[in-house]
Amino acid sequence: MSVLPEHFEYRNRVVDAEAERLLRLLPTLVIEGPRGCGKTTTARRLAERELLLETDPSARGHAEHGTLPLGDGPYPLLIDEWQLAPAAWNAVRHASDLLQGPGRFILTGSASPSDEVTRHSGAGRVARVRMRPMSLFESSDSTGDVSLGALLDGGSCSALNTRGHDPRSPDTQLRRVIDALCRGGWPACGDLSPAEAQEFLHLYLEELCRVDVRRVAGTRHDPLLVRRAITSLARNTATSPSGATLAADIGVQRPIAPDTLAGYLDALTRNFILEDQPAWTPRLRSRARLRRAPKRHLVDPALAVCALGAGPSQLFNDRETLGFLFESLAVRDLRVYAGSAGATVSHYHDSNHLEVDIIVQRRDGAWLAAEVKLGRPAAVDQAADALARLRRQIDVDRMPEPAKLLVITATGHAYERPDGIAVAPLTMLGP
């Protein structure tokens, strides 16, 4: 039986199918992601009983002392916020061995404990799923008519009919995208105005800086400097700033120490707030050197909007800042969709100054490249040129041709250019 309240209306998530599939394969499923992204709600839908460590002191005490009732059934048993009692990891691992069979436990976590806690491997017992704030498809801000999975199979945008065409003016379309960007993908903000959502996220960041960073770092920290670190990351969204750049930006009178910066970045990563976009390293025809610096992204660009103190009107009038934040929004969504396709999201940058915003590559090697633009025709042409240059760079004798080259826009409709490069607004993309 479900532990969700009666009459609860569940909002479907892209990870649902993957979570259900993995729970049928292995004894334990771990759902990880930032606080407030919907992990507990999704896990409770799958569970038959639950232990909520954050709100139930008794359950947390049992977890800390290794006396959790793990063998009693029914299953799956949800242990929510398991990282609050790290001893639960080994207890579940041992119970998985004793009980045998799939679908025994679901662990959710809003922070990643130190490697020391999970040094005993969960191989053969544990499957992990990363959950992020809702994509535009999940929040009903995208039609999902253009499937990322289909594009990775070589599908075309040209077969789409007119139901995917948005008849509103480009400015109206853009304002709707900006509103969605400012609300973010947090379930609690789904029915809020952009201003109300930003107030929610202001309080979210305050609590993150005051409590959550200290909880994973295990050392004293300055919440004001943590907040400045988040603001600096927001200013550098979708770029690859050096450590020296971030340290100087965060420091008040002088750069903060490298160890302090590394500690803050590690804590934000372990709280699933900072999620770097790694560099792609394909086989090339040329002798261009590949740049390996990751791009910096907060897990949801609405957090960056909040850290910058921006809003819909400011972003509409500041297209440069909006462009970086929109790219981050596209990365967030494609990460969600790529997860259901067994794919990863990276970026490309080489010594010939060729940069491509997004590379999605599946485990079987199939890949697509995407450039992200707000939608002006000249910018779309520029993006298509960069994608064509990348296609010429790739050594197709040693790796596959791209399944698709795609320009992701904020406005307009989906179509295929005469050169074969697809164009689609983010508000039409889905898994």
Side-chain angles (χ1 to χ4, degrees):
M1 63 177 183
S2 172
V3 296
L4 287 172
E6 290 186 15
H7 311 301
F8 176 82
E9 185 176 352
Y10 179 73
R11 185 185 288 271
N12 291 329
R13 306 297 294 271
V14 172
V15 300
D16 288 349
E18 181 72 357
E20 292 173 9
R21 184 183 71 83
L22 293 173
L23 205 54
R24 291 193 297 267
L25 289 177
L26 293 171
T28 301
L29 173 68
V30 180
I31 304 176
E32 301 174 312
R35 187 178 297 278
C37 73
K39 301 181 302 300
T40 303
T41 303
T42 291
R44 295 181 82 186
R45 176 175 167 269
L46 301 172
E48 292 292 337
R49 68 186 169 113
E50 61 187 29
L51 297 170
L52 308 180
L53 301 194
E54 190 160 44
T55 57
D56 185 344
S58 174
R60 185 170 173 179
H62 279 294
E64 290 171 341
H65 293 93
T67 55
L68 283 173
L70 300 182
D72 297 344
Y75 301 104
L77 166 63
L78 164 62
I79 304 176
D80 189 53
E81 299 294 355
W82 77 269
Q83 80 283 350
L84 298 177
W89 176 264
N90 277 337
V92 167
R93 196 171 60 88
H94 291 310
S96 296
D97 289 340
L98 292 172
L99 293 169
Q100 300 295 315
R104 299 296 185 172
F105 304 105
I106 304 171
L107 308 183
T108 66
S110 297
S112 176
S114 67
D115 291 339
E116 180 66 17
V117 171
T118 57
R119 69 186 184 279
H120 297 295
S121 171
R125 310 175 184 91
V126 176
R128 295 177 184 269
V129 168
R130 175 66 66 89
M131 195 166 186
R132 299 175 176 88
M134 291 185 296
S135 63
L136 294 184
F137 175 71
E138 292 167 308
S139 64
S140 301
D141 292 299
S142 170
T143 65
D145 288 333
V146 180
S147 162
L148 180 69
L151 294 178
L152 281 167
D153 287 333
S156 170
C157 293
S158 60
L160 293 171
N161 58 36
T162 54
R163 75 189 177 94
H165 178 68
D166 190 336
R168 291 168 295 200
S169 71
D171 279 0
T172 299
Q173 293 178 47
L174 184 60
R175 288 186 185 277
R176 288 176 65 86
V177 169
I178 292 172
D179 284 352
L181 190 158
C182 292
R183 277 196 309 273
W186 310 92
C189 297
D191 296 324
L192 301 182
S193 69
E196 291 169 331
Q198 284 293 299
E199 179 64 20
F200 171 89
L201 293 174
H202 170 75
L203 298 173
Y204 182 101
L205 287 179
E206 289 296 306
E207 194 68 7
L208 172 75
C209 296
R210 188 178 66 86
V211 177
D212 294 342
V213 167
R214 181 186 64 208
R215 188 176 276 171
V216 302
T219 58
R220 295 182 62 184
H221 68 287
D222 185 340
L224 292 177
L225 281 182
V226 176
R227 183 59 184 263
R228 288 180 63 88
I230 293 171
T231 301
S232 182
L233 290 166
R235 274 195 288 268
N236 290 281
T237 291
T239 69
S240 302
S242 66
T245 296
L246 293 174
D249 196 26
I250 296 167
V252 179
Q253 294 180 322
R254 62 180 183 274
I256 63 171
D259 288 349
T260 302
L261 173 64
Y264 290 161
L265 297 182
D266 178 67
L268 292 172
T269 300
R270 288 170 56 193
N271 274 294
F272 305 111
I273 295 298
L274 174 62
E275 188 172 5
D276 287 346
Q277 182 185 5
W280 190 47
T281 55
R283 302 283 190 173
L284 301 181
R285 293 182 186 276
S286 74
R287 295 187 178 182
R289 295 185 304 278
L290 294 171
R291 306 302 192 193
R292 297 177 182 271
K295 283 189 176 184
R296 302 289 192 180
H297 294 273
L298 298 179
V299 71
D300 191 309
L303 292 174
V305 174
C306 180
L308 295 172
S313 296
Q314 297 98 313
L315 293 178
F316 185 81
N317 293 314
D318 181 355
R319 298 301 169 89
E320 182 177 4
T321 299
L322 176 60
F324 287 112
L325 292 171
F326 179 66
E327 180 182 333
S328 193
L329 182 68
V331 169
R332 182 201 71 182
D333 281 13
L334 264 65
R335 279 172 164 159
V336 173
Y337 308 150
S340 68
T344 58
V345 173
S346 55
H347 75 96
Y348 179 89
H349 187 192
D350 68 28
S351 58
N352 291 333
H353 306 294
L354 175 59
E355 298 184 48
V356 173
D357 297 328
I358 296 173
I359 305 293
V360 180
Q361 186 166 30
R362 220 163 43 190
R363 284 192 293 266
D364 64 4
W367 64 278
L368 66 77
E371 275 279 86
V372 183
K373 301 294 180 184
L374 291 177
R376 293 179 176 173
V380 172
D381 289 341
Q382 180 186 27
D385 288 344
L387 292 168
R389 284 179 61 198
L390 176 64
R391 179 167 50 195
R392 293 192 295 270
Q393 283 273 71
I394 298 302
D395 186 347
V396 295
D397 292 330
R398 296 196 288 175
M399 62 181 294
E401 292 262 10
K404 184 62 63 177
L405 299 177
L406 173 67
V407 182
I408 299 173
T409 61
T411 62
H413 60 281
Y415 62 96
E416 299 260 343
R417 292 162 46 102
D419 57 10
I421 294 174
V423 180
L426 189 60
T427 51
M428 287 184 68
L429 285 176

